Amino acid sequence: MLSAIEQGLIFAILALGVFLTYRILDLPDLTVDGSFTTGGGTAAILLVNGCDPWLATLAGMGAGAVAGLITGFLHTFLRIDGLLASILTMIGLYSINLRIMQGPMVSVNMRNGEPINTLFSGFRLAQPGFCPSDNSCLFSWQVIGLLALAALVCKLAIDWFLATNFGLAVQATGDNQTMALADGVSVRVTKNVTLMVSNGLVGLSGALYAQFNGAADSQMGVGMILVGLASVIVGNAILGTRFMFLATLGVIVGSVLYRLVIFFAMDWHLAEAGDMKLISAVLVVVALVVSKAEWIRKSFKVLSPWWNKPDPPEPLTSQALHDPAKTEG
Amino acid sequence: MLTLTDVSKTFFANTVNERRALRGVNLSLEDGDFVTIIGSNGAGKSTLLNIVAGSLPCDQGSIVVDGRDVTKLADFRRASLIARVFQDPQAGTAPHLTIEQNMAIALTRGSRRGLRRGVTKARRQRFREELAVLGLGLESRMRTRVGMLSGGQRQALSLLMASFTRPRILLLDEHTAALDPQRAELVTELTRKVVADNGLTALMVTHNMSQALSLGNRLLMMHEGEIIFELDSRAKEHTTVSDLMDRFASAKGQMADRALLA
C-alpha cells in the first residue's frame, strides 16, 4: 500500500500537468502519453551512461517540455486543432522515444554488476537479497515524505504561476479567448508556455517513475492521460475548484486516491494487472458523470465546506443613478 | 486620433454569396470625439468596428490610431490602443475568474505580462475605487467569480474594464442590445459617465436611435457599406428619432432606385 501512495505521488506531478491543460487551458492534451515516456526514457538513458541523477531528472523534465512545445507549434502556428495536434505529437513521440532509449526498454537497476545511482538509491535497504525485487526495497515513509514534498513544491509553483500577471493571461486564454485577445493577450504565447510547463511536469513525473520502477520502457506512457484526467476530475470533485490552492491540492489527493483504488482492486483480487486500463477508463467515465450529477454535488457539499458556493446573482440595482447622494460620492 | 482611409471589406469574394460589407469608408475622429453609428442590419457597422479592433483584416485602405498605422497589426497587439465592449455580456469577461482577476487582466492590457503577482494590495484598492463608481455594490464582491453576475452587471464590469485604462479608442458594439430596457438604460448612463470621466474617444454602434441621439457628439448613419450621412453635435440637438427614420427611409429608397437603374 505504501507503494501505491508513492506511485500516486509521482503521478500527482503528471496530474498537475494535466490540470494545467485540461482545466486551465481547456485543451485535452494527449501529448502526455508520449511525453511521460520521453521524460522517463531520457532520464533512464542518461543514468545508464553515468549521469548525475538530479541532472538526468531535470533533463527528463526538459525533454517533456520540448514535447509540449511541438504540440504547441502544431496547434498555434500550423493551426491544427488542439486535440489532433496532441495526438500527432503523441504518435510521433513513440518512434522518438524508441530512438532515445535505443530500444524498447532501459533498465536503471544494474549495469555490469554495479547498481546504478538514482535519486532513490539512498533509500534501498542495505542487505542484498532481502527483497524479492529491487524496487520493493524502496517502500519507506522517507520516500513518501520526499515525494509528497516534490508534489507539493510543484503544486505551489503552479499556484504561484497562475496568480501572476502572465498566469492570469493563461487562465483567460482557456476561459474566454475572445476576452483574452481583446485584452491584448497573445494566446499563442500563453498556450505554448502552458503546454511546455505542463509537459515538463509530465516529463519530470516520467523521470521519477523510471527511477522508482527501475526501468523505462516504450509502453510506460500508454493511458497516462487517463490517469491524469481521473486524478484531476476526482480531486476537483472532492475539494472543488473555487480556490486554486484547493484545486491543485485536490489533484494530488485525487492521484493518491486513484492509486489506492487500483491497489485495493488488485489486492482483493477484483482485478488483474491487465485490467488496469479498463479500470482507468471506467473511473474517468464515472468521475465525469458523477461530478455533473446534482445530488452528488450536494452530498459533497456536506463533506467539503470549501465547495464552490454559487452566490445567487443579485438583482442589478440602478441605485447610483437615481440616488444623487451616491453618484456624487 | 483615429483615421480610416478608403477602407473596404468584401466577404466571400468572387462567389455568388459575395457581400461588400464596406465600400471605401473614410472616417476621422478627433481626440475626445464620441461617435455613434446607426444603420440597418448588414449596413457594415459591426464590420467597421471589427476592422478597427483588428479582429477582421481589411481588403484595402489604412487605419491610423494616434499617428500609428495599425492596419497590419494583429488584434491583440492593437489592444494597447483600443479597448472594446461586445454585444454579448459573456464575451468581455472571463467567467471562472474573479472580478479582481478580470480587472487585473484588463489593467495589464497592452503591457508585458511578467511573473509579478496579478492582484496586489495596491491594485485591489484601485479596483475597489473604480468599482464603486458603478454603484452596483460590486466593490464588496471582488472575489466573486464573474460568471455569477447578471448580464447587466457583467456588461457594466466589461465597460469599466475597457475604459479604466484610458485606451486611445473605446469601441462599443451594441453593448446594450442584449439587456432588458432598464439595464440597458443603466449601462447607457454608465457609458456616458465613463467616457466623459476618462475623456475617451469612442465609437459606438447601436440600433437604438434615441440612444444614438442622446449619447456622443457626432452621429453617423451607415447603409450598405457606406457612411451616408453625418450629424455634428449641433445638428443632433435639433434632430428627432422620426427625422432619423425619414432619413433612413429615403436612404433605402435611393438605394433601391440605384439598384433598379444599375
Side-chain angles (χ1 to χ4, degrees), chain A residues 35-292:
Chain A
S35 58
F36 185 75
T37 315
T38 308
T42 306
I45 204 76
L46 285 170
L47 286 169
V48 167
N49 288 300
C51 178
D52 175 74
W54 286 101
L55 218 60
T57 308
L58 216 62
M61 189 172 173
V66 173
L69 189 61
I70 294 170
T71 301
F73 174 79
L74 294 177
H75 176 45
T76 59
F77 283 87
L78 304 186
R79 300 191 180 179
I80 298 171
D81 171 71
L83 183 63
L84 181 57
S86 72
I87 292 175
L88 291 169
T89 313
M90 174 189 83
I91 300 290
L93 279 177
Y94 188 82
S95 300
I96 293 177
N97 292 336
L98 285 174
R99 290 269 183 173
I100 291 174
M101 294 191 284
Q102 293 153 16
M105 188 185 152
V106 181
S107 167
V108 291
N109 277 330
M110 303 288 261
R111 182 183 161 87
N112 304 332
E114 288 285 308
I116 293 174
N117 195 22
T118 71
L119 284 182
F120 300 106
S121 296
F123 301 100
R124 274 175 214 279
L125 292 184
Q127 321 85 309
F130 176 81
C131 303
S133 76
D134 242 8
N135 57 26
S136 64
C137 296
L138 291 174
F139 310 160
S140 79
W141 289 103
Q142 272 172 310
V143 174
I144 290 187
L146 283 175
L147 287 174
L149 190 70
L152 222 58
V153 167
C154 291
K155 169 223 166 347
L156 291 173
I158 289 177
D159 291 350
W160 165 79
F161 173 70
L162 290 176
T164 63
N165 284 315
F166 186 81
L168 288 177
V170 167
Q171 294 192 61
T173 305
D175 205 18
N176 182 352
Q177 187 161 320
T178 310
M179 178 263 193
L181 286 170
D183 279 305
V185 174
S186 169
V187 299
R188 194 176 268 182
V189 173
T190 51
K191 283 180 177 176
N192 275 299
V193 170
T194 311
L195 280 166
M196 279 182 76
V197 172
S198 162
N199 283 287
L201 289 169
V202 173
L204 171 64
S205 171
L208 291 175
Y209 188 70
Q211 295 175 68
F212 175 81
N213 198 35
D217 76 84
S218 60
Q219 301 290 331
M220 71 192 274
V222 176
M224 276 304 150
I225 181 66
L226 282 186
V227 174
L229 285 178
S231 309
V232 170
I233 295 164
V234 170
N236 286 171
I238 297 173
L239 289 182
T241 52
R242 178 68 182 84
F243 301 104
M244 195 54 77
F245 183 87
L246 290 173
T248 47
L249 187 67
V251 172
I252 298 177
V253 171
S255 176
V256 174
L257 270 182
Y258 172 78
R259 275 294 129 188
L260 287 175
V261 166
I262 288 191
F263 170 80
F264 284 117
M266 307 257 283
D267 198 49
W268 297 338
H269 300 287
L270 298 174
E272 296 172 22
D275 300 336
M276 298 264 276
K277 302 287 184 233
L278 181 64
I279 296 178
S280 307
V282 171
L283 204 71
V284 169
V285 172
V286 170
L288 274 174
V289 172
V290 162
S291 64
K292 287 205 169 80

Side-chain angles (χ1 to χ4, degrees), chain A residues 23-24 159-190 193 240-244 247 308-322 326-329, chain B residues 75-77 79 82-84 86 90-98 101-102 104-106 108-110 112-119 123 133-137 139 141 143-145 148-150 152-154 156 161 182-183 185-187 189-190 193:
Chain A
R23 271 271 187 265
I24 302 297
D159 291 350
W160 165 79
F161 173 70
L162 290 176
T164 63
N165 284 315
F166 186 81
L168 288 177
V170 167
Q171 294 192 61
T173 305
D175 205 18
N176 182 352
Q177 187 161 320
T178 310
M179 178 263 193
L181 286 170
D183 279 305
V185 174
S186 169
V187 299
R188 194 176 268 182
V189 173
T190 51
V193 170
T241 52
R242 178 68 182 84
F243 301 104
M244 195 54 77
N308 185 6
K309 279 183 225 145
D311 41 2
E314 287 163 21
L316 184 86
T317 55
S318 42
Q319 210 179 1
L321 292 168
H322 301 305
K326 205 154 188 190
T327 347
E328 276 162 27
Chain B
D75 51 357
F76 69 89
R77 290 193 198 284
I82 300 168
R84 65 191 302 198
F86 300 90
Q90 321 265 323
T93 45
H96 290 97
L97 298 183
T98 62
Q101 286 174 324
N102 270 281
I105 292 167
T108 45
R109 184 192 303 118
R112 258 180 66 96
R113 292 179 168 90
L115 295 176
R116 295 249 176 85
R117 211 172 166 73
V119 182
R123 281 187 179 178
V133 174
L134 297 181
L136 298 174
E139 64 275 14
R141 302 171 64 194
R143 291 187 198 191
T144 301
R145 288 186 180 192
M148 305 289 172
L149 304 182
S150 69
Q153 288 171 328
R154 276 183 86 161
M161 283 165 57
Q182 195 193 349
R183 281 146 214 238
E185 177 65 24
L186 174 76
V187 173
E189 285 311 310
L190 288 172
K193 187 169 162 58

Side-chain angles (χ1 to χ4, degrees), chain A residues 5-55:
Chain A
I5 296 175
E6 283 164 348
Q7 285 189 20
L9 289 169
I10 290 177
F11 291 140
I13 297 175
L14 167 136
L16 285 168
V18 172
F19 174 81
L20 277 179
T21 48
Y22 177 70
R23 271 271 187 265
I24 302 297
L25 218 49
D26 195 21
L27 188 156
D29 175 30
L30 302 194
T31 315
V32 170
D33 274 26
S35 58
F36 185 75
T37 315
T38 308
T42 306
I45 204 76
L46 285 170
L47 286 169
V48 167
N49 288 300
C51 178
D52 175 74
W54 286 101
L55 218 60

